[in-house]
Amino acid sequence: KAAAKRAAKVAKSDAEKALVEARMAQTPAKGTTCTVDGFTGQVFWKGVKLYRGKWRGTVALKDAKGQVAWIDVGHWVPEATPAKPKAKKAR
């Protein structure tokens, strides 16, 4: 039982990672100059990392002064899954 449960968890994690990596492919390439929320910089880093049990994609921009902005992949690629509806309150 435990092995099957672990295998299901690993399979789900691998599927989430693949989805985030596919979204990262749609972000600007390294070396590209971009403007996000008034910050203009060059893409110098892109990565996918497991953070608190969820896979996240991040793109880093660096401007001419050396300031860095970390931008979530969701800025360029919206969520593919619809948001969960809010639970209705009992009256």
Side-chain angles (χ1 to χ4, degrees), residues 31-68:
T32 306
T33 301
C34 302
T35 301
V36 177
D37 297 331
F39 184 88
T40 301
Q42 187 174 16
V43 176
F44 77 97
W45 187 89
K46 293 171 66 169
V48 176
K49 179 88 172 150
L50 186 64
Y51 179 72
R52 294 188 179 187
K54 294 186 92 176
W55 286 98
R56 298 191 54 186
T58 307
V59 177
L61 304 176
K62 185 184 284 187
D63 69 1
K65 298 176 188 176
Q67 296 176 333
V68 175

Side-chain angles (χ1 to χ4, degrees), residues 2-3 13-15 17-18 25 28 32 40-41 43 58 71 73 75 87 89 91:
S13 178
D14 290 345
K17 182 179 180 184
T32 306
T40 301
V43 176
T58 307
I71 312 299
V73 69
H75 174 78
K89 294 182 181 179
R91 293 183 187 193

Side-chain angles (χ1 to χ4, degrees), residues 17-31:
K17 182 179 180 184
L19 178 64
V20 173
E21 287 176 339
R23 290 179 185 163
M24 286 296 288
Q26 298 175 16
T27 61
K30 287 183 183 179

